[in-house]
């Protein structure tokens, strides 16, 4: 029975693609009826002038300028403009675009896994390799952590970027295959072109060249490390530099945009604001979360759940960082005995490097879409490992297999059950993206929602804005009231902890959105005086004197300010 099932799924070239397409349709098909969500969709799509502005030299400059293009992704903007020209802002078309790209990446992943298994496990029967490649592609396709990249309209760059990188790696596999006796240069060029297309899609894949070096070192053993091959080192380095250098331009443009669009991205922290140790600790913790997202697909985090400042130094972050350090040490010390494990750790690490937040404030964490690419390394490692154990799991002549446990009688149903379980979890995750209300209801139910009052209040504000746009003023007012309350409670909670800077920042957000009542402004003056920010305190005091002339509390603050100012002057 199971043999016929596997033959139906993996037989030939059409049936595997068709079965993967049916699987993706079953899990994600409902998204074709979803609306846009008020979580960057307006900025990137529905209210974005880049999509409707007439073609001109000016527009071309904007599409490659990180300030206006919101990071370097010119291919995405061309795709967006084509979609808008054909379908306008019909959300079904935009979701169909994302699902089509996700399916294309899944199929390309299946093609790549088949080639990888044929390269690394040629002794394994072809039918077994085909089955494992299909299972790997299926797991990656429906994994709940990958739903955000496939369903969120704004996440289009992720499946597009991954599709090109998988194509590049497929060409690279063929170009470096010792069994390939011709056409290597043309295959290398195709691999490079696909990598370039990926860099033009989104800068998250810019460390792909480093992944190729990891693969050469510990997977394919192509790196010229012996004395006899020293003369090959310059050519080997040049080959990888060709993949790395175009990525540098993408990084520069993106980093520049992070510094010049403070309305969307916070300016990168300086070393004085966030030291090297904190950056390394947070980066290691975020790397650990890449692994936990894969092996524990529950309580997932659409977009970036922001951490409170206190949590940056808390036990959860320290534990995640220690976990990553332990994996790193194991990879280093066991690189001779278990080179495959070393390749898995460093391969995952280099592909995750752009999303680990080394240049950001440490309150930013890894979102679901950020693991879309690095999880491919884990999937590839698992299928290669299973192929190396083929005699145990698949062979009818295995000494460990009893007659009742012939090939497929245990492994195949167990593997298909795993795919089904992930598909069920994935479909549940898909449904949170129906509209803004369903998304924010899910986000508000997660423990991470209460971690950072700034983001918590921001979500309530977006929620309220969506209700107002939908013609529900009462519900809009309710969400804005919640946002105001979150700001106020967060301010006083931070002040009680002695974190005056956080309290002041929250009061700024409250003032910008809803105004600042005199009573709260008085509290802010106290915090500013504690921080020694006397010029800001003086400006607030001037406002209070006009709003509350002769108020005893204001007079007391004036005296405190004068004493502090006199002390500073001395």
């Amino acid at each position: 029975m199971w043999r016929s099932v596997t033959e139906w799924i993996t037989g030939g070239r059409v049936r595997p693609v068709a079965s993967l397409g049916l699987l993706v349709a079953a899990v994600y098909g409902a998204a074709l009826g979803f609306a846009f969500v008020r979580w960057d969709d307006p900025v990137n799509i529905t209210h974005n002038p880049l999509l409707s502005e007439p073609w001109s030299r000016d527009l071309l400059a904007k599409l490659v300028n990180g300030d206006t293009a919101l990071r370097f992704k010119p291919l995405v903007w061309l795709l967006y403009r084509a979609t808008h020209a054909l379908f306008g802002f019909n959300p079904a078309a935009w979701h169909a675009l994302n699902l089509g790209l996700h399916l294309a990446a899944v199929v390309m992943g299946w093609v790549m896994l088949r080639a990888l298994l044929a390269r690394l496990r040629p002794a394994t029967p072809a039918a077994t390799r085909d089955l494992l490649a299909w299972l790997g592609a299926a797991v990656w396709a429906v994994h709940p952590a990958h739903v955000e990249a496939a369903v969120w309209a704004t996440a289009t760059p992720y499946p597009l970027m991954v599709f090109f990188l998988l194509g590049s790696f497929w060409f690279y596999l063929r170009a470096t295959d010792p069994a390939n006796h011709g056409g290597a240069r043309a295959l290398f060029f195709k691999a490079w072109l696909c990598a370039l297309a990926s860099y033009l899609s989104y800068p998250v894949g810019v460390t792909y060249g480093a992944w190729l070096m990891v693969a050469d070192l510990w997977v394919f053993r192509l790196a010229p490390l012996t004395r006899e091959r020293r003369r090959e080192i310059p050519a080997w380095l040049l080959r990888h530099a060709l993949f790395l250098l175009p990525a540098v331009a993408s990084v520069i443009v993106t980093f520049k945009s992070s510094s010049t669009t403070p309305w969307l991205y916070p300016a990168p922290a300086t070393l004085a604001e966030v030291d090297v140790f904190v950056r390394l600790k947070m980066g290691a913790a975020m790397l650990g979360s890449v692994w936990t997202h894969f092996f524990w697909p529950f309580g997932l985090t659409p977009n970036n759940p922001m951490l409170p400042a206190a949590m940056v130094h808390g036990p959860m972050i320290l534990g995640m960082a220690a976990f990553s350090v332990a994996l790193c040490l194991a990879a280093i010390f066991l690189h001779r005995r278990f080179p495959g494990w070393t390749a898995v750790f460093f391969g995952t690490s280099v592909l995750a490097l752009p999303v680990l937040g080394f240049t950001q404030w440490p309150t930013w964490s890894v979102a679901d879409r950020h693991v879309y690419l690095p999880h491919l390394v884990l999937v590839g490692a698992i299928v290669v490992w299973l192929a190396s154990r083929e005699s145990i799991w698949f062979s009818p002549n295995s000494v460990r297999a009893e007659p009742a446990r012939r090939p497929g009688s245990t492994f195949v149903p167990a593997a298909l059950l795993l795919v089904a379980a992930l598909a069920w979890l994935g479909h549940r995750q898909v449904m949170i993206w129906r509209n803004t209300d369903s998304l924010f209801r899910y986000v508000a139910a997660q423990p991470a929602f209460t971690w950072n009052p700034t983001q918590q209040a921001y979500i309530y504000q977006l929620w309220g804005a969506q209700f107002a746009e939908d013609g529900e003023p009462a519900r809009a007012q309710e969400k804005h009231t919640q946002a105001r309350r979150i700001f106020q409670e967060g301010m006083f909670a931070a002040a009680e902890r002695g974190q005056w800077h956080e309290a002041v920042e929250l009061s700024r957000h409250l003032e910008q959105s809803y105004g600042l009542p005199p009573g709260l402004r008085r509290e802010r003056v106290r915090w500013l005086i504690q921080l020694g920010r006397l010029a800001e305190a003086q400006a607030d005091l001037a406002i209070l004197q006009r709003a509350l002339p002769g108020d005893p509390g204001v007079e007391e603050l004036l005296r405190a300010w004068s004493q502090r100012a006199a002390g500073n002057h001395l």
Side-chain angles (χ1 to χ4, degrees):
M1 172 188 171
W2 293 112
R3 180 171 296 178
S4 61
V5 170
T6 57
E7 287 175 355
W8 184 86
I9 291 175
T10 63
R13 294 180 178 272
V14 175
R15 279 181 286 180
V17 174
S19 55
L20 287 171
L22 290 173
L23 181 64
V24 169
V27 174
Y28 295 95
L32 296 176
F34 290 0
F36 291 113
V37 295
R38 209 178 190 91
W39 191 254
D40 287 359
D41 280 356
V43 172
N44 285 281
I45 300 173
T46 57
H47 295 73
N48 191 339
L50 292 181
L51 303 189
S52 54
E53 187 176 322
W55 284 106
S56 66
R57 189 173 298 179
D58 246 6
L59 175 64
L60 290 175
K62 290 177 182 177
L63 294 179
V64 297
N65 186 332
D67 299 355
T68 50
L70 316 177
R71 298 188 177 138
F72 185 68
K73 46 184 179 181
L75 281 188
V76 169
W77 290 123
L78 294 176
L79 189 59
Y80 276 2
R81 283 184 64 88
T83 305
H84 176 259
L86 292 171
F87 305 105
F89 292 120
N90 180 353
W94 291 83
H95 288 301
L97 170 66
N98 262 36
L99 295 188
L101 289 172
H102 178 60
L103 177 58
V106 168
V107 172
M108 197 68 239
W110 168 74
V111 170
M112 182 276 295
L113 288 173
R114 288 180 76 233
L116 183 68
L117 288 169
R119 171 83 174 269
L120 297 180
R121 297 290 180 264
T124 302
T128 299
R129 296 199 306 262
D130 289 348
L131 173 61
L132 289 174
W134 188 91
L135 288 171
V139 165
W140 186 76
V142 301
H143 195 289
H146 307 156
V147 165
E148 182 181 38
V151 173
W152 185 25
T154 286
T156 302
Y158 286 85
L160 182 64
M161 172 265 300
V162 166
F163 171 76
F164 284 125
L165 285 188
L166 285 168
S168 174
F169 191 56
W170 181 60
F171 284 123
Y172 187 84
L173 277 170
R174 296 167 62 196
T176 58
D177 190 344
N180 177 30
H181 300 297
R185 185 171 296 181
L187 290 169
F188 271 123
F189 182 65
K190 291 175 183 177
W192 182 81
L193 282 180
C194 286
L196 185 63
S198 173
Y199 305 152
L200 293 171
S201 300
Y202 208 52
V204 169
V206 292
T207 51
Y208 169 69
W211 153 249
L212 293 181
M213 298 181 77
V214 169
D216 272 8
L217 282 165
W218 292 296
V219 180
F220 306 131
R221 302 302 185 94
L222 295 175
L225 300 179
T226 61
R227 290 183 180 180
E228 294 78 11
R229 299 181 60 196
R230 282 182 180 176
R231 292 182 180 179
E232 301 174 29
I233 291 177
W236 184 77
L237 291 174
L238 176 61
R239 185 172 76 196
H240 292 293
L242 292 174
F243 286 93
L244 287 168
L245 289 177
V248 173
S250 175
V251 171
I252 291 172
V253 174
T254 296
F255 189 76
K256 178 176 176 291
S257 72
S258 297
S259 306
T260 55
T261 49
W263 60 273
L264 185 61
Y265 306 120
T270 65
L271 284 175
E273 293 168 321
V274 181
D275 63 39
V276 173
F277 174 74
V278 172
R279 291 170 191 259
L280 290 175
K281 178 179 66 175
M282 285 301 299
M286 295 306 101
L287 178 60
S289 73
V290 171
W291 289 71
T292 57
H293 269 67
F294 185 79
F295 293 105
W296 185 255
F298 305 98
L300 297 173
T301 49
N303 220 290
N304 298 75
M306 294 180 66
L307 308 175
M311 190 174 285
V312 171
H313 306 288
M316 184 182 79
I317 295 300
L318 288 173
M320 293 290 287
F323 171 66
S324 292
V325 170
L327 293 179
C328 180
L329 292 174
I332 292 172
F333 288 116
L334 299 175
H335 75 279
R336 293 186 186 277
R337 187 176 179 185
F338 300 108
W341 160 245
T342 303
V344 171
F345 175 78
F346 286 113
T348 306
S349 300
V350 296
L351 289 178
L353 193 62
V355 301
L356 297 184
F358 287 111
T359 63
Q360 296 291 349
W361 291 88
T363 51
W364 288 72
S365 59
V366 167
D368 294 350
R369 66 188 181 279
H370 294 152
V371 303
Y372 191 70
L373 174 60
H375 278 183
L376 281 166
V377 178
L378 299 179
V379 169
I382 290 171
V383 298
V384 170
W385 177 80
L386 287 171
S388 70
R389 300 297 188 272
E390 183 266 341
S391 62
I392 299 174
W393 299 109
F394 296 94
S395 174
N397 301 317
S398 170
V399 295
R400 302 188 186 185
E402 299 173 4
R405 297 180 57 180
R406 289 181 180 273
S409 63
T410 53
F411 177 83
V412 173
L416 293 177
L417 183 63
L418 173 63
V419 171
L422 288 173
W424 177 69
L425 291 171
H427 182 71
R428 290 185 60 191
Q429 195 71 8
V430 166
M431 299 311 292
I432 75 170
W433 291 92
R434 290 191 303 274
N435 52 45
T436 298
D437 188 46
S438 62
L439 175 63
F440 287 163
R441 282 181 183 276
Y442 173 85
V443 171
Q446 303 307 307
F449 182 65
T450 61
W451 287 353
N452 191 295
T454 302
Q455 189 178 50
Q456 190 179 2
Y458 177 58
I459 287 174
Y460 278 128
Q461 287 177 301
L462 293 178
W463 210 342
Q466 185 63 47
F467 279 135
E469 188 175 291
D470 293 342
E472 299 185 61
R475 298 185 73 182
Q477 182 60 41
E478 174 193 343
K479 297 304 175 186
H480 283 293
T481 300
Q482 287 176 295
R484 189 183 297 110
R485 176 177 56 79
I486 292 297
F487 278 135
Q488 294 181 5
E489 291 176 354
M491 286 163 47
F492 288 110
E496 286 178 12
R497 298 191 301 267
Q499 294 173 339
W500 317 113
H501 177 79
E502 183 182 347
V504 169
E505 287 306 306
L506 286 167
S507 73
R508 299 282 187 211
H509 289 302
L510 176 63
E511 182 178 19
Q512 183 180 11
S513 301
Y514 303 109
L516 197 65
L520 294 181
R521 193 177 296 275
R522 277 186 304 199
E523 294 301 319
R524 186 167 74 185
V525 170
R526 290 193 176 91
W527 303 334
L528 290 168
I529 292 173
Q530 289 283 350
L531 291 168
R533 292 159 61 172
L534 300 183
E536 296 170 68
Q538 186 179 29
D540 271 348
L541 282 168
I543 295 172
L544 285 171
Q545 284 179 299
R546 292 193 296 271
L548 302 172
D551 181 79
V554 176
E555 298 299 324
E556 179 187 345
L557 288 172
L558 277 168
R559 289 192 293 273
W561 181 90
S562 299
Q563 291 172 2
R564 185 67 182 267
N568 283 359
H569 180 70
L570 291 174

